[in-house]
Amino acid sequence: MHDKPLSKLAGHLLRRLPDASHPTRHRVGPDTFGLEEEKVLRFAEDRLDPAEEPRLAEEVAEVLPLGWSLSPRGKERLHTVTEHLGGERQLLEWLDRHPGLPRLTARLVALMGALDRYSDDAEVVEALRSSRAEDPFPAGLENILPPGTSEETLSDISYRIDELLFERHTQDATRVALAATDWLRDAAQRSASSSAGISEMRDLMIHLHKDISEADAAA
């Protein structure tokens, strides 16, 4: 994966705060979500057979979107893997080294982190508002975007991707993600602003679209 998207993720991977307007975050699932304690411990102690690591990566990818519902035991196991790898960024890089669901999940999480980050950028929000004046409902986002555009718009898209992953609708999550990168890229290109922030967003969305498309094709 390109380093640039990962560099935008600090604080977003495992510590994204729940939004009171999204009650479905409180869904509860199985106690450990498939993360085997014995396998996690062997990985943390560098005793895991290399042949078993791809399966552990798949298990981790499966639990990441469920972080809101993990039991304390499940969170502890995920934390153990994350700490052994060196932190949140290193966890994504590790997942990205494993093709299939791990790589695709890592790249979707990278996009969600970027969407959350740009939600607070007034210049980006204005560019999106201007874009929607020309095209109110961009392709692929018709059933997700509300009529108006605000600082909540990008976080709503991020939430929807996360929710689809939670529900195991990976292909639907991917389609929404690619539509979002297309929209933000086009909005940046149409924007009257030529600021570094808008240019950065355009380049980041181009990178993420390519990364997600490649991971999806190989999944």
Side-chain angles (χ1 to χ4, degrees):
M1 179 188 286
H2 298 284
D3 179 68
K4 191 173 183 181
L6 285 176
S7 70
K8 309 300 178 186
L9 287 177
H12 285 296
L13 178 55
L14 303 179
R15 295 193 292 270
R16 294 165 66 206
L17 298 176
D19 189 322
S21 67
H22 296 148
T24 53
R25 288 294 192 194
H26 302 295
R27 287 171 295 186
V28 176
D31 184 49
T32 58
F33 298 101
L35 272 181
E36 297 178 20
E37 182 175 19
E38 191 269 341
K39 189 184 297 181
V40 168
L41 291 177
R42 283 192 287 122
F43 179 72
E45 296 170 359
D46 294 320
R47 295 188 294 107
L48 186 67
D49 188 321
E52 294 183 85
E53 188 170 316
R55 178 53 195 155
L56 177 62
E58 288 184 7
E59 292 175 3
V60 171
E62 289 169 355
V63 306
L64 275 184
L66 309 176
W68 301 94
S69 299
L70 283 173
S71 68
R73 184 182 303 173
K75 289 179 181 177
E76 181 179 354
R77 293 178 188 180
L78 180 57
H79 177 75
T80 296
V81 173
T82 304
E83 287 300 298
H84 178 65
L85 291 166
E88 296 171 359
R89 176 171 173 167
Q90 289 82 359
L91 175 65
L92 283 195
E93 291 172 340
W94 175 72
L95 287 174
D96 198 64
R97 291 197 293 271
H98 296 280
L101 181 64
R103 179 173 295 162
L104 180 58
T105 298
R107 296 179 183 193
L108 291 174
V109 170
L111 173 62
M112 287 189 281
L115 293 176
D116 288 342
R117 173 178 177 266
Y118 284 123
S119 290
D120 297 327
D121 190 318
E123 194 171 43
V124 168
V125 173
E126 183 56 37
L128 297 178
R129 188 176 288 119
S130 297
S131 173
R132 292 192 72 189
E134 300 178 29
D135 183 6
F137 293 99
L141 301 174
E142 299 91 342
N143 298 321
I144 297 173
L145 293 175
T149 304
S150 70
E151 64 277 3
E152 298 295 327
T153 300
L154 292 182
S155 61
D156 284 344
I157 298 173
S158 174
Y159 171 79
R160 182 57 180 154
I161 295 169
D162 203 20
E163 185 176 47
L164 288 167
L165 287 174
F166 184 107
E167 296 169 350
R168 297 290 189 259
H169 300 316
T170 307
Q171 289 306 305
D172 290 336
T174 301
R175 282 192 287 271
V176 172
L178 292 174
T181 59
D182 283 341
W183 179 40
L184 269 67
R185 179 203 62 210
D186 292 346
Q189 291 172 342
R190 295 179 182 180
S191 176
S193 172
S194 58
S195 71
I198 293 294
S199 296
E200 177 197 66
M201 182 183 75
R202 180 198 63 223
D203 293 345
L204 185 59
M205 291 304 120
I206 291 171
H207 279 308
L208 282 168
H209 190 283
K210 180 175 182 291
D211 284 344
I212 293 169
S213 295
E214 289 176 349
D216 181 46

